[in-house]
Amino acid sequence: MVAIKSSEAERLLTRDVASYSAFLVYGSDVGLVSERVRRLVKALVDDPGDPFQLVRLGADDVAREPTRLLDEAQTVPLFGGRRAILADGGARTMAAAVERYLEASSPCPLVIEAGALKPDAPLRKLVERARKAAAIACYPDGERELAGLIDAEVAAAGLAIEADAKALLASLLGADRLASRSEIEKLILYAHGGGTIRVADVEAAVADASAQGMDDAVDAAFGGDTAALDAAASRLHLGPVEAGLLLGAALRHAVMLHKAKLSGEGAPFRGGLSPRRKAAVERQLADFGAEALARMVVRLGETIGQLRRDPRLAPDHAVRTLWAVAQASRPRRR
């Protein structure tokens, strides 16, 4: 079985691409899927823009002609050189087509780009069981991945970043890799020539109206203000990505509140918070008990899992869960 966890993908992409003939890149983080597909393609062919080197097959192509994938894999390059296939994994017949490709042991590598796949999805099971194929999971970055991404991008730009600024930046990122990278690049451009990125830089360049709206929604939920929560959610115009960002921010907030409650102090909040939010956080620490916060962490984590399985319902799940948080905060809970 060759199932590559999201946290293990970097090693494969930098050192082990040549060890496999087929790659399934899937997951709920659409931006990360796209980024890793591009890196694979760049490693497999000299010019991804050359249609003779990189053959692109859509889901409709495979659905209409299930043998098309194998036919393309067995085609001899007209001008020589390296050749690869990039296929959309959305076709229902994709698993059968890929099975024929794997059985033929074609020297032409295959990259399949797909969305969220359950463990029992036929395509995922097929690739994970194949000896020369790798299934690469792509899920939203955790704290370690975000920290590494921030450090790498900031260092590459010849800048440094203060710890508080890094913590604030990480709290604004995470649901989509391309969106996170875009925000970091925007921050770097803003801070260019300054040497060190500070909290004020993050607040000015990244903590824009959308991020401010997410802070408002989270504070309204943990403050028990359902009217303010509805108003903040309405201003955000939630789609699947925005809903994931909002719930990710709420989960990180609940975890930090829980840690602060267990430690008996507000240490986790000394850095990375704007002065405007500190009073709200202090009230939340006074109003919530550790057990209630632990239940909220579990509830938020479960909802984020639901979003990954079915992004189409993300906005409804996000608002419903934050409403539950707001309702739980109204009576004093311990």
Side-chain angles (χ1 to χ4, degrees):
M1 175 179 284
V2 188
I4 309 298
K5 295 179 181 179
S6 190
S7 59
E8 300 170 345
E10 188 63 27
R11 176 182 58 81
L12 182 147
L13 292 169
T14 54
R15 299 203 301 266
D16 295 340
V17 172
S19 301
Y20 304 96
S21 60
F23 307 86
L24 170 63
V25 189
Y26 71 94
S28 59
D29 189 332
V30 178
L32 186 54
V33 169
S34 177
E35 178 177 302
R36 286 174 173 168
V37 164
R38 287 201 304 272
R39 291 181 62 183
L40 280 170
V41 167
K42 188 174 181 181
L44 294 171
V45 299
D46 299 315
D47 181 6
D50 186 342
F52 292 103
Q53 295 186 35
L54 181 65
V55 178
R56 300 175 184 270
L57 295 180
D60 291 341
D61 297 326
V62 179
R64 284 194 303 267
E65 299 179 69
T67 61
R68 174 80 180 278
L69 176 59
L70 182 58
D71 291 342
E72 291 288 356
Q74 293 178 332
T75 299
V76 177
L78 185 61
F79 301 105
R82 298 191 299 168
R83 188 169 179 271
I85 299 171
L86 173 59
D88 184 341
R92 291 185 178 181
T93 56
M94 178 58 73
V98 173
E99 186 173 16
R100 284 191 287 269
Y101 163 86
L102 293 172
E103 290 173 349
S105 300
S106 171
C108 180
L110 167 67
V111 179
I112 306 165
E113 185 172 0
L117 296 175
K118 295 180 179 179
D120 61 350
L123 181 58
R124 179 174 167 182
K125 288 171 62 178
L126 175 66
V127 173
E128 287 181 344
R129 292 172 180 173
R131 186 174 59 87
K132 294 289 289 182
I136 305 172
C138 298
Y139 294 113
D141 292 320
E143 292 182 6
R144 185 175 64 179
E145 291 79 16
L146 279 175
L149 178 64
I150 293 169
D151 288 340
E153 294 296 312
V154 170
L159 298 171
I161 184 167
E162 292 181 346
D164 288 355
K166 182 177 176 181
L168 176 57
L169 177 59
S171 73
L172 301 171
L173 308 176
D176 182 274
R177 171 64 69 87
L178 290 186
S180 295
R181 194 180 293 280
S182 175
E183 292 300 320
I184 295 172
E185 290 173 353
K186 183 170 67 174
L187 172 62
I188 288 172
L189 181 62
Y190 178 86
H192 180 71
T196 300
I197 298 173
R198 296 177 170 81
V199 169
D201 299 319
V202 178
E203 290 178 335
V206 181
D208 55 13
S210 176
Q212 184 64 63
M214 290 190 184
D215 287 346
D216 291 342
V218 170
D219 286 337
F222 283 84
D225 191 339
T226 53
L229 171 59
D230 285 343
S234 178
R235 289 194 300 270
L236 288 171
H237 303 291
L238 296 177
V241 171
E242 293 80 9
L245 285 169
L246 176 57
L247 280 182
L251 177 59
R252 288 190 292 271
H253 190 75
V255 169
M256 288 191 290
L257 281 173
H258 188 242
K259 288 181 178 178
K261 199 70 180 181
L262 291 177
S263 68
E265 57 184 43
F269 294 98
R270 287 175 183 164
L273 278 182
S274 63
R276 189 186 65 82
R277 296 193 67 201
K278 288 183 179 178
V281 168
E282 290 173 358
R283 287 194 300 271
Q284 292 159 21
L285 280 172
D287 290 342
F288 281 105
E291 291 184 4
L293 289 167
R295 289 194 295 270
M296 288 182 181
V297 169
V298 173
R299 175 72 181 270
L300 288 164
E302 290 175 346
T303 305
I304 289 173
Q306 290 178 327
L307 265 60
R308 293 171 180 173
R309 292 189 292 271
D310 192 353
R312 295 170 300 175
L313 299 178
D316 290 339
H317 283 315
V319 173
R320 189 179 301 117
T321 300
L322 290 181
W323 250 80
V325 171
Q327 292 289 342
S329 69
R330 281 183 167 177
R332 193 177 177 110
R333 300 291 292 272
R334 293 293 172 187

